[in-house]
Every structure is written in C-alpha cells, then in structure tokens.
Amino acid sequence: MASVRLTLRTDRLGHKIGDDFTGLSYESAQLGNPHFFSGDSTDLAGFIKRLGTSGVLRIGGNTSEYCYWTPNPAKPANIQNNIDSMRTGDRANPIAFGLSVGPDTGHKAPAPVNITPLAIRHLREFLDACGWRLIYGLNMGTGMAEDAADEAACVMDVAGSKLIAFQLCNEPDLFYRNGIRPADYDFRQFAGEWQRFYQTIRVRVPNAPFAGPDTAYNNEWLVPFAKQFKREAVFLSQHYYAEGPPTDPSMTIERLLGPNPKLQAEFEGMKETMHESGLPFRLAETNSCYQGGKPDVSDTFASALWSANLMFQLASEGGMGINYHGGGYGWYTPIAGTREDGFLARPIYYGMLLFAQAGTGQLLESKLEPWERAPLLTAYGLRGNTGAIKVAAFNKHLDRGVRLTIDAGQRAQRVSSVRLHAPRVDDTTDTTFGGATVGAGGAWSAMREETLSVENGAAVIELSAASAALITFER
Ligand code: BDP
C-alpha cells in the first residue's frame, strides 16, 4: 500500500464551484417524444434533482441538426411518426428503445424529428419540477434561420428565465466530414453562418442569449470564436470525449483512468478563450467514449471514478460547468430507462452523486506528496458554504491501494467519510455510494459513514485500488 500525504492550504483559495456546475445533456431528438420531459415525469425529475438543486439540462447533440421546428402541426401524423419510429427500437439496441432517445452513434444521419410547441411547454414543466435551467440547441446544420428564429421565440417565451442560452449548432468543426457541409468547410464560413443566424434570431427575439461554438474539440475554432463573438455570447462551450472509437481495442478502462493529452488540450483551449474573452467556459457535452460509448468501459464503475474526477478537475482549471451526455439505454448514459419502464442510475450517475454531495463552495490549494508513489491518485479540497471542509479523493490505480493522510489545515470536531464503491472496477450493476444504491425517483441516503481516526491533527483513510471517498471535516 502506497502512503501519500495531502496538505490543504485553507489560506489559498482556488476556483468556486457554483450550483449550476453540474449538468446533463440529451439529444434534441428526445423532444420528438413531447412527453419524455414533462411535468409528470416525476421519476426522471427525481433522479435529476438528486444531482443538484439547480443544474443545467443541455439539449443538442448530432440530432439537433436533424430536428425541425413544427409550430403548427397541421398534420398530427408528423408527430405520430416521431413516436412510432421511436417505438420500433428494441432492447438489443442499447441506443434506442421505447420512447427514449440514446446518444447518437454518428454512423449515419439521424432520422428527422419534428419539435412542436407542446414539447417546449412540457420541457418547461419538467425544468420547473427539477429546478434546473436550460441550454437549447437550434438547427443551423440543415435548418433555416427563419425557422430557428421562430423556434427560439417559442423557447424564449415558454422557458423564460429558465433559458441560459441558445446554441446554434453541434460540433461544427466536424461538419466537413459528417456530410453536413463540404470538405472545405472552415471557420470563416462557419462564423459567417453563425453571424447570420444570430442576427435573424435577434431581430425576432432581441434579448435572446447565446453560447458557442459547441465545437467537438478544435481549439482552432474555439479560440477565434471567442475573439469574434465575445460580445454576442454569454459563455463559451466545447465538447470532450475521453476515448473513441469503441471498435479500437486500445480504448480501455486503464486508458480512461489515466492522464489524457486530449484533456490537457481542452483545458488549454478553455483557458485561452477565457483569457481572450473574459467569458466563462462550459464543457457542454462530454462522456467517456464517442459513438455512443463502449460496453465494458463506459457502463462500468470506472466511469463513476472518471466522471467525478473530471468534474473536480474541470472546476480546478476554472471551468464553469459540465454536461454529461446520455439518454435512452446508451452505454455511457448516467440515467438509463424510459418513462414506461422506469429509470435507473448507472455507475456514472454515482460519480455525479459524489460531486453533488461535496456541494458548492471554493476549492482550496493542495499538495500531494510524495506524488510518485501513486501518480493516479487525485484529491480535491473544498471549503463548503457552511465552512466545513470536504475532500474528494480518487484512487485510479488498478494495482495498488493508497493510505492517504490528510492535513486539512484546520481543527475538526469529527472527520467522516462516505465511499464510492463497487466490487470490481469493471462492475456494471453494483456501484454504491455511502453503502447505498440509488432507488426509484433518485431516492438515496448514505447507509454507511465511517469516522476516520485523526493522528497529530491529520485524518487517515485507506483507499483500495479503484475506489474513491468523500471526506468531511466538521468544525
Ligand atoms: C457527439 C455528438 C453526440 C453523440 C456523441 C457520441 O454531439 O450526439 O451522441 O458524440 O458519438 O459528438 O457518442
């Protein structure tokens, strides 16, 4: 077992974690079933509320470029078609089943879907039931600016203060290769289209808020966007997928839990844009492995460790928030299921739950020594709004346990911990947090809380291989 010491500097405050940091992302095509998000989707709303009292629901993804605003469904058959085509999914297809829409796999152009005012009214009810706010993706990929303006007017009217921003498209830096634009499509052309859509929508909805560019990964689009549109945007966004494609055998749990150069590049782009524009940055869509995820990686306990760690990592680098993409029975979805069959929490949900339980507050500067003994151990200290100090510690090593001694820099009456646990790192069904599973409607409370021993003012916890804990120092 490796011994490592964490020292927190309570006098050196880092970035804040706000109550809108956490978030989920769903495909726009989910709105093709206007009942999925609605006021009486109480089971799903319960799961979502458990992750935070005022998180952010982002609607977008590849399917946003194939969703068409249908203000007057003169032919109700259109809508029926949506629902009927969704019903044809079967369980053997993890992506689509029943009336839930999973993450798009990018293999072929998604089926067109109608979005109606009813779906928007129901979405508003759903946001009210959750207490969450909205980022709404419009269709610039294959849609018309006038339709986007019409849709935006309805969303603005119905969602009101629930709306944080519109995004005009999804991953435009990949348009050149996914059939949406010709192979020579570049940033300059994109910026021209973005400007035109923005203006058309603004004429119709003068105070509509915008964010972007919602690029897949390309900092060479992100940074110029920040420069050009810093006055038009309320925040900047880009996506991040840790791995992919799933067919590549080197996309594994080990790789997911290790350091990732793609993430470093993401953070560099984020910092440059924030510096350039003075605007906050949101990782508006992320998950473990693109093309809908990878079985035995994206649906395992490893994804719980990965997701919670990424949230703290992003916060420490100064990001404003994150949206985990999912839906349906997708491999990487945090919440799986349908309204008809009920919902359940997947491992990644438990990672988000740990983050939610850490609460909002301000990160503290910290040091792990000797770092080389456990390079994949990470730990984040947070001063909560009530003054209690929390530490989230992740042992991402598969081959070693770690004995972690924590000097929290202030006296504590009591130090306790709840663990994020599963019998094996590749377990897909038995994740617990605080010894408890998440039940119907997001019901959860810790059943097992340990009191940690304190030696010379420092608390000690042992973290077995592939495990994590949330430690609370009560004053
Ligand atoms: C992103 C898309 C999303 C997909 C996801 C994936 O925005 O619609 O579901 O990739 O490939 O690029 O899993």
Side-chain angles (χ1 to χ4, degrees):
M1 178 152 312
S3 289
V4 177
R5 188 178 183 91
L6 173 73
T7 312
L8 297 183
R9 292 285 305 261
T10 47
D11 56 335
R12 294 227 190 135
L13 299 175
H15 292 286
K16 285 198 172 129
I17 298 183
D19 56 8
D20 58 355
F21 191 93
T22 199
L24 292 166
S25 164
Y26 280 81
E27 291 288 339
S28 298
Q30 184 60 80
L31 297 181
N33 168 9
H35 308 291
F36 184 84
F37 295 119
S38 68
D40 58 10
S41 287
T42 46
D43 188 20
L44 182 59
F47 277 96
I48 290 185
K49 271 193 290 195
R50 170 70 57 205
L51 296 178
T53 48
S54 39
V56 178
L57 179 66
R58 177 258 182 178
I59 302 287
N62 287 340
T63 62
S64 66
E65 315 297 359
Y66 297 88
C67 282
Y68 300 95
W69 179 235
T70 311
N72 304 306
K75 288 185 278 175
N78 283 350
I79 312 238
Q80 202 48 50
N81 282 344
N82 280 351
I83 289 186
D84 285 346
S85 63
M86 286 178 180
R87 272 194 210 285
T88 58
D90 70 81
R91 264 191 205 283
N93 174 1
I95 302 302
F97 176 75
L99 304 179
S100 287
V101 175
D104 185 59
T105 57
H107 294 313
K108 57 175 174 25
V113 160
N114 301 300
I115 296 182
T116 64
L118 179 68
I120 307 300
R121 286 200 299 276
H122 281 174
L123 178 62
R124 165 74 206 237
E125 287 173 10
F126 184 74
L127 292 167
D128 285 335
C130 299
W132 282 35
R133 293 172 72 208
L134 176 68
I135 297 171
Y136 190 92
L138 295 163
N139 176 357
M140 190 179 100
T142 70
M144 313 266 290
E146 292 67 26
D147 293 337
D150 216 34
E151 183 172 0
C154 174
V155 173
M156 190 77 185
D157 184 40
V158 173
S161 60
K162 287 281 179 192
L163 178 73
I164 300 172
F166 291 113
Q167 300 206 101
L168 286 179
C169 51
N170 184 69
E171 304 187 344
D173 50 334
L174 298 182
F175 276 7
Y176 77 96
R177 67 164 202 224
N178 62 14
I180 288 190
R181 292 287 182 281
D184 64 356
Y185 189 66
D186 60 10
F187 175 77
R188 203 185 43 78
Q189 298 176 53
F190 160 70
E193 287 183 43
W194 200 93
Q195 177 73 34
R196 188 169 63 78
F197 266 65
Y198 171 84
Q199 276 167 346
T200 309
I201 296 169
R202 276 294 190 124
V203 167
R204 185 77 200 281
V205 193
N207 50 351
F210 285 84
D214 221 32
T215 29
Y217 71 93
N218 196 339
N219 291 342
E220 286 171 24
W221 286 47
L222 174 66
V223 179
F225 181 92
K227 278 196 191 133
Q228 190 167 340
F229 295 115
K230 59 184 167 214
R231 274 173 297 277
E232 285 78 11
V234 291
F235 68 86
L236 300 163
S237 62
Q238 187 157 264
H239 299 175
Y240 169 66
Y241 280 80
E243 302 195 303
T247 45
D248 180 341
S250 71
M251 302 304 158
T252 59
I253 283 178
E254 288 75 4
R255 185 179 166 135
L256 183 65
L257 295 179
N260 195 325
K262 270 171 74 183
L263 186 59
Q264 289 322 312
E266 181 91 22
F267 288 153
E268 276 160 31
M270 165 175 105
K271 286 181 193 166
E272 209 179 324
T273 48
M274 286 166 59
H275 179 76
E276 190 61 56
S277 64
L279 292 172
F281 173 94
R282 193 164 185 102
L283 202 54
E285 189 196 303
T286 184
N287 223 308
S288 51
C289 179
Y290 59 73
Q291 288 180 4
K294 179 161 180 162
D296 299 323
V297 177
S298 302
D299 55 345
T300 65
F301 180 61
S303 73
L305 297 174
W306 170 79
S307 61
N309 186 71
L310 177 62
M311 295 175 93
F312 285 106
Q313 225 175 339
L314 175 65
S316 324
E317 300 283 341
M320 79 182 295
I322 195 162
N323 297 80
Y324 281 103
H325 196 50
Y329 288 90
W331 297 115
Y332 57 56
T333 190
I335 305 167
T338 63
R339 268 181 56 138
E340 298 71 26
D341 289 353
F343 293 93
L344 60 94
R346 287 277 186 76
I348 183 171
Y349 182 96
Y350 287 84
M352 297 181 77
L353 177 60
L354 181 151
F355 185 85
Q357 289 294 310
T360 56
Q362 195 146 10
L363 288 161
L364 302 173
E365 223 175 78
S366 64
K367 212 166 39 186
L368 273 172
E369 292 167 312
W371 170 81
E372 321 75 65
R373 282 194 195 152
L376 297 186
L377 176 85
T378 46
Y380 304 87
L382 178 80
R383 187 200 291 283
N385 297 335
T386 58
I389 287 182
K390 307 257 188 173
V391 171
F394 302 93
N395 179 9
K396 291 175 267 108
H397 287 280
L398 303 184
D399 64 348
R400 73 194 85 159
V402 176
R403 183 174 198 271
L404 182 65
T405 303
I406 307 171
D407 176 357
Q410 71 180 35
R411 289 196 169 280
Q413 292 290 344
R414 179 169 177 261
V415 186
S416 60
S417 88
V418 286
R419 290 180 188 267
L420 183 62
H421 177 267
R424 291 188 331 269
V425 71
D426 60 353
D427 182 278
T428 56
T429 51
D430 292 322
T431 299
T432 53
F433 183 53
T437 53
V438 175
W444 175 86
S445 66
M447 308 243 298
R448 201 174 308 132
E449 197 182 274
E450 296 158 46
T451 301
L452 300 189
S453 63
V454 177
E455 298 167 8
N456 303 324
V460 181
I461 184 167
E462 288 185 1
L463 292 164
S464 55
S467 76
L470 179 63
I471 301 132
T472 304
F473 293 77
E474 279 154 40
R475 290 193 100 165

